[in-house]
Amino acid sequence: AMETPKSLEDTLELATAEEAVKEEQREHRTASGNNSGCDSNSSNNNSGAPMDCSFSSGTNNVGIQVWRSPSRTVAFSSIFLFMVVAGLCGNALPGLSGGPAAAAASKTSAKAGRRLMADPCAGFPSIKIEKMLVNNLGGYGPDVGKPPGMVFEVSMSNVGLTQTKAHLKVNTFTGYVPNWVPSNGLHTEWAAVNWKPGTTVGLVANFWDPETKKNLTIPRGYMTFSDVDAGLRDEEEFVTVSNFFSNYYVGDKTMMRTEEHILTTTFWGTDGELGLDNPEINAVLTPVQKKKSVTLQFGPEGLQAAVFKLGSDKGHSAREIRFGFEASLLCSKTRMPNGRILDAMELGQGNIFPVANGKEAVKDLKSLGVCVGAECDS
């Protein structure tokens, strides 16, 4: 099994949250120099010699040292070196979209987000993922020996039920080929599923009452998918959802394209990046994170189960999409590249405000059936 160098997380911790998610870096980063790479099989570098894309310390097959513990004076050079190696090693390095690098970088973003003021989504129908109970999607572990699937403990507020605690169950209903199993599970406040490029996985998510041991129907609420993007070699991700929702909301200047059908809707990611903009908390998102997110509003019959499929084009980098059950694009603040915090629906100043059904900016919540606080039960 591959193991992340102990120095990597220490190195990435030196970067500030703003540096980790700075929008200019996302939009101007290129993949120059990555004209050849590695997949899960042995391949060649530009010199024609075979290259070893493993994480182990020491040298690769052409005698070049790949990893050594960096000092603080060369910390940021080490980050750059890591990104170059990631571009070369594609499928062998799961950190391209979800894995050690993305996890370490997004940790600094989460720390910054916790310094934000009170939850801007308070009052909206909300289901917060609190704790991971079982992590064994498709039976691939890491909780080997437990029933297949992922189980989370959640807290619910203003969803039209008297109870406030439940379990969220996520299971596959098709074949599943993970790329890097440890990336599955809970990332602070977001659930994540990782898969091998060129494959798809069908998933069903439902809520369960552990006391009565029965499925729950959630009268009102939201589901948000985030980090819907692409690999550096144009392997586009997609999420296809059954039309259990009444409205969907994307960010202004979205980086996704939408295909609407009678029974399903598909959202395609188009922006290639290294996986360093994965969300960790819901209260504040960067402009890029909002451009790669979609929020679905439960329909009038509520939600019994969310049925969806994740997939991507063939490629070399591990793919990952994150999801949660909050009205993120309607309420989450926007952290601008200059550090300024904007309200979700604020127009101007470069804010990524919500757009209803891909058409018009959201201005009147009531006209869309969106309620907040006590008005939900009026």
Side-chain angles (χ1 to χ4, degrees):
M2 294 179 292
E3 188 174 20
T4 308
K6 293 181 179 179
S7 61
L8 177 60
E9 182 170 342
D10 295 336
T11 299
L12 292 175
E13 281 287 324
L14 296 177
T16 66
E18 287 74 18
E19 289 166 333
V21 299
K22 191 174 181 182
E23 184 172 17
E24 286 87 341
Q25 293 176 333
R26 300 291 174 269
E27 296 184 351
H28 298 292
R29 183 184 288 121
T30 66
S32 59
N34 295 348
N35 295 326
S36 64
C38 305
D39 55 20
S40 58
N41 301 315
S42 175
S43 69
N44 296 335
N45 60 16
N46 291 338
S47 66
M51 178 177 291
D52 182 0
C53 290
S54 68
F55 274 111
S56 58
S57 61
T59 61
N60 64 10
N61 290 343
V62 293
I64 300 175
Q65 186 167 2
V66 177
W67 289 108
R68 62 181 178 181
S69 180
S71 65
R72 288 181 177 268
T73 58
V74 296
F76 291 100
S77 297
S78 300
I79 294 175
F80 176 76
L81 174 61
F82 168 75
M83 290 182 176
V84 172
V85 174
L88 289 173
C89 293
N91 187 48
L93 288 183
L96 275 173
S97 180
S106 58
K107 181 185 294 185
T108 59
S109 177
K111 289 178 180 178
R114 294 191 190 99
R115 295 194 296 267
L116 193 68
M117 65 294 296
D119 183 4
C121 295
F124 282 82
S126 171
I127 301 176
K128 294 181 180 293
I129 304 176
E130 304 281 2
K131 183 180 179 181
M132 187 96 212
L133 301 177
V134 177
N135 192 358
N136 192 26
L137 190 64
Y140 287 98
D143 291 342
V144 177
K146 292 186 178 181
M150 296 194 297
V151 182
F152 305 87
E153 183 178 292
V154 302
S155 60
M156 306 182 295
S157 60
N158 208 15
V159 297
L161 297 176
T162 56
Q163 67 188 90
T164 59
K165 294 290 185 180
H167 288 173
L168 164 64
K169 294 186 174 184
V170 181
N171 287 283
T172 62
F173 64 86
T174 67
Y176 171 49
V177 184
N179 194 94
W180 196 63
V181 168
S183 192
N184 286 343
L186 182 59
H187 294 260
T188 308
E189 294 180 354
W190 294 79
V193 173
N194 176 282
W195 73 93
K196 186 175 182 179
T199 68
T200 64
V201 56
L203 299 162
V204 57
N206 67 282
F207 294 92
W208 171 264
D209 185 338
E211 297 292 332
T212 64
K213 301 189 183 303
K214 294 182 179 180
N215 289 324
L216 294 172
T217 296
I218 310 299
R220 54 177 176 259
Y222 302 87
M223 183 176 189
T224 296
F225 292 94
S226 190
D227 189 37
V228 184
D229 50 33
L232 294 180
R233 294 174 181 145
D234 297 324
E235 52 265 43
E236 294 184 349
E237 296 176 346
F238 69 85
V239 52
T240 297
V241 296
S242 62
N243 290 340
F244 61 80
F245 56 92
S246 57
N247 296 298
Y248 72 86
Y249 305 93
V250 295
D252 179 47
K253 301 176 183 177
T254 181
M255 291 179 175
M256 301 182 300
R257 71 176 187 275
T258 305
E259 297 177 357
E260 298 182 16
H261 304 284
I262 296 176
L263 299 178
T264 64
T265 303
T266 299
F267 302 92
W268 287 88
T270 61
D271 181 67
E273 56 89 42
L274 289 170
L276 300 181
D277 58 6
N278 299 337
E280 289 283 332
I281 64 166
N282 183 69
V284 59
L285 299 171
T286 68
V288 168
Q289 288 171 338
K290 287 193 170 186
K291 290 177 184 179
K292 298 180 180 182
S293 299
V294 56
T295 292
L296 311 174
Q297 180 181 351
F298 296 174
E301 296 181 354
L303 180 74
Q304 291 183 331
V307 180
F308 56 101
K309 179 180 287 187
L310 307 180
S312 69
D313 298 328
K314 291 183 178 179
H316 298 272
S317 57
R319 308 317 312 156
E320 179 179 305
I321 286 178
R322 298 188 178 185
F323 58 92
F325 289 85
E326 297 196 67
S328 304
L329 285 177
L330 293 174
C331 56
S332 298
K333 303 265 187 181
T334 308
R335 184 187 299 277
M336 301 302 292
N338 62 6
R340 186 179 178 86
I341 303 294
L342 303 178
D343 289 337
M345 294 176 56
E346 183 174 341
L347 302 179
Q349 301 189 66
N351 190 29
I352 306 303
F353 50 83
V355 176
N357 303 311
K359 297 176 181 178
E360 297 182 354
V362 176
K363 297 179 181 179
D364 181 11
L365 293 178
K366 288 186 178 181
S367 67
L368 294 165
V370 176
C371 65
V372 181
E375 67 184 33
C376 292
D377 293 316
S378 61

